[in-house]
Amino acid sequence: MREPVDLRRQRILAAVQARGTARVRDLADELQVSVVTVRRDVEELTREGRLARGHGVVRSTLPDREAPAETGGAAGDRVAVVVPVRHSYLTETLHGARTVLEESGLRIALHLAPQASGAERPLVERALADGAQGLLIAPRWRGRAEEAADHEWLAGTGVPTVLMERRPWRGSALHALDSVCSDHWYGAHLAVEHLVGLGHRRIVFATRHDSPTARSLRAAFTEIAGAHPLVEQWAWTLVSPEAGVDGPYTADETAEPPALTRKLGATAMVLHGDVDALMIVQRLAEEGVRVPEDCSVVAYDDVVAGLGSPPLTAVAPPKAEVGRMAAELLLQRLSEAPGTRPGRRVELLPRLMVRGSTESLSGQLTELSAGHPTGQPTGQPTK
């Protein structure tokens, strides 16, 4: 599923305003879209008065006092922000951080990390060489090995650093680094309690497993469903074949979510993230399975979940607020002497947005659960 147009244009606007000027071709490379697509977006943003066009160049229309300069300026007036390219979830986090930093008068140097292992390190090193005095970063970290490889150098940047939506594991080199993150355990709790409250007792959890958020969610669902007295049966699987890199996985853990739902006789699913959830709902419709009449669905992320048919009930982490709080924490660090305060690990609570993809379980067998009589309550633990 393609990235929504409005999100792509927001990212173009953020990139140009962070630099003052940008080449159309560079923007196309960073966003991994065609030059024609960027030109079309720039034309629309220009008509709205939000950008100014030149020959192959785009300029910010912010007043000079607000627009970030390319060079010069006093030492300590630049913050490097490093986020993955083509990541709509973290785009919202970026906008939250940008608002705080611009209001403070600090210049922002935005760096978009490509989809490659270790892509963040050279970007951070370049930013530090250019004089960045602080760092906000959300590494991609598709697997545990990638995360471990970044711990040592990221812990030793020598400048105040705040992780956004990343929670390093206990005892690691980054354990004491400042971080602001959504409480994904609580988000999983909201999803399970919502479905159980509607009468659902058999649930499939289909999530990604290629980011720290994805791994946190799997652990949370395993703990919550396994201990819940009203959950009779549950199972976990990858939401799509390319969504896991750590492995190995069992046959059920790589099964297609609709097939696993039929096998379990489940009447509800929790799917991470939005795009994968929308694709699975489309697949269910093609197989004659109605949402929510035959199967209730909860998405996790709430970036585009509300655009589905039906609009998907979703857990909404406070994405923009994570960025705002991370930026505020970084500003505090920049204003105080190093080591004067202990490291801070801030967690913010997600919300549940109830829409049309969940409803109470009827007393009749649904299409998915037909032929699957309920036996003794059993949990289905995962590895």
Side-chain angles (χ1 to χ4, degrees):
M1 184 174 178
R2 293 181 179 178
E3 179 182 35
V5 173
D6 59 337
L7 288 178
R8 186 178 65 243
R9 290 176 180 171
Q10 287 177 11
R11 296 204 291 132
I12 291 173
L13 191 63
V16 176
Q17 290 181 345
R19 304 169 191 173
T21 63
R23 295 196 308 168
V24 170
R25 184 168 298 279
D26 291 341
L27 291 169
D29 290 342
E30 291 176 5
L31 274 65
Q32 297 187 3
V33 297
S34 69
V35 171
V36 172
T37 296
V38 173
R39 284 175 180 162
R40 188 183 305 122
D41 290 338
V42 166
E43 287 176 1
E44 181 59 31
L45 292 169
T46 300
R47 279 195 292 268
E48 296 172 0
R50 305 170 75 184
L51 291 178
R53 292 173 56 200
H55 183 64
V57 177
V58 188
R59 295 182 177 86
S60 172
T61 57
L62 288 176
D64 290 341
R65 61 182 178 83
E66 295 181 30
E70 286 296 310
T71 59
D77 68 348
R78 183 188 300 182
V79 168
V81 182
V82 181
V83 295
V85 69
R86 297 181 63 83
H87 200 304
S88 55
Y89 180 106
L90 288 171
T91 296
E92 294 191 36
T93 302
L94 167 63
H95 287 312
R98 173 173 159 260
T99 300
V100 172
L101 295 173
E102 286 185 348
E103 289 176 352
S104 73
L106 289 180
R107 294 187 301 134
I108 306 167
L110 176 63
H111 300 269
L112 301 175
Q115 299 182 30
S117 178
E120 290 83 5
R121 183 171 185 174
L123 296 178
V124 171
E125 291 175 345
R126 185 186 313 158
L128 296 177
D130 289 342
Q133 300 298 304
L135 174 65
L136 289 178
I137 184 169
R140 190 177 297 274
W141 285 346
R142 296 185 67 236
R144 287 289 294 261
E146 286 187 13
E147 181 175 350
D150 283 349
H151 279 189
E152 291 295 336
W153 72 262
L154 191 51
T157 61
V159 300
T161 300
V162 180
L163 291 169
M164 300 185 296
E165 277 296 18
R166 298 293 180 256
R167 179 73 76 233
W169 61 76
R170 295 175 180 176
S172 68
L174 295 182
H175 187 118
L177 196 67
D178 289 334
S179 62
V180 180
C181 187
S182 300
D183 184 344
H184 295 299
W185 184 96
Y186 185 71
H189 165 78
L190 290 176
V192 173
E193 288 298 328
H194 174 64
L195 292 172
V196 169
L198 293 174
H200 298 282
R201 300 294 181 261
R202 296 180 176 219
I203 306 172
V204 164
F205 305 105
T207 76
R208 306 195 66 84
H209 202 233
D210 56 359
S211 74
T213 295
R215 292 185 287 277
S216 294
L217 280 176
R218 178 182 179 177
F221 286 131
T222 298
E223 176 187 342
I224 294 167
H228 203 294
L230 296 180
V231 175
E232 295 176 356
Q233 211 163 27
W234 62 275
W236 175 87
T237 188
L238 289 171
V239 74
S240 63
E242 68 276 9
V245 295
D246 284 334
Y249 302 102
T250 68
D252 277 355
E253 291 171 351
T254 56
E256 291 285 343
L260 185 59
T261 302
R262 288 191 293 270
K263 175 181 177 181
L264 193 68
T267 59
M269 306 171 72
V270 182
L271 307 172
H272 172 235
D274 286 3
V275 171
D276 288 320
L278 291 170
M279 295 297 291
I280 289 175
V281 169
Q282 290 176 14
R283 195 180 318 157
L284 290 173
E286 293 168 358
E287 297 177 8
V289 179
R290 300 167 301 169
V291 174
E293 293 87 352
D294 300 324
C295 182
S296 285
V297 172
V298 176
Y300 199 102
D301 277 354
D302 200 33
V303 176
V304 293
L307 303 178
S309 179
L312 302 185
T313 293
V315 176
K319 300 173 280 293
E321 187 62 27
V322 166
R324 283 192 289 267
M325 187 160 288
E328 290 171 356
L329 180 51
L330 182 61
L331 290 177
Q332 291 177 19
R333 291 301 192 196
L334 289 170
S335 66
E336 60 192 29
T340 55
R341 295 191 186 184
R344 296 170 225 178
R345 310 185 81 184
V346 180
E347 287 194 337
L348 304 178
L349 299 182
R351 296 185 300 163
L352 181 70
M353 309 302 292
V354 179
R355 301 190 181 101
S357 65
T358 55
E359 69 175 18
S360 297
L361 181 67
S362 68
Q364 299 177 345
L365 289 176
T366 66
E367 182 174 337
L368 281 176
S369 60
H372 295 272
T374 301
Q376 296 298 318
T378 58
Q380 180 156 335
T382 56
K383 295 194 298 180

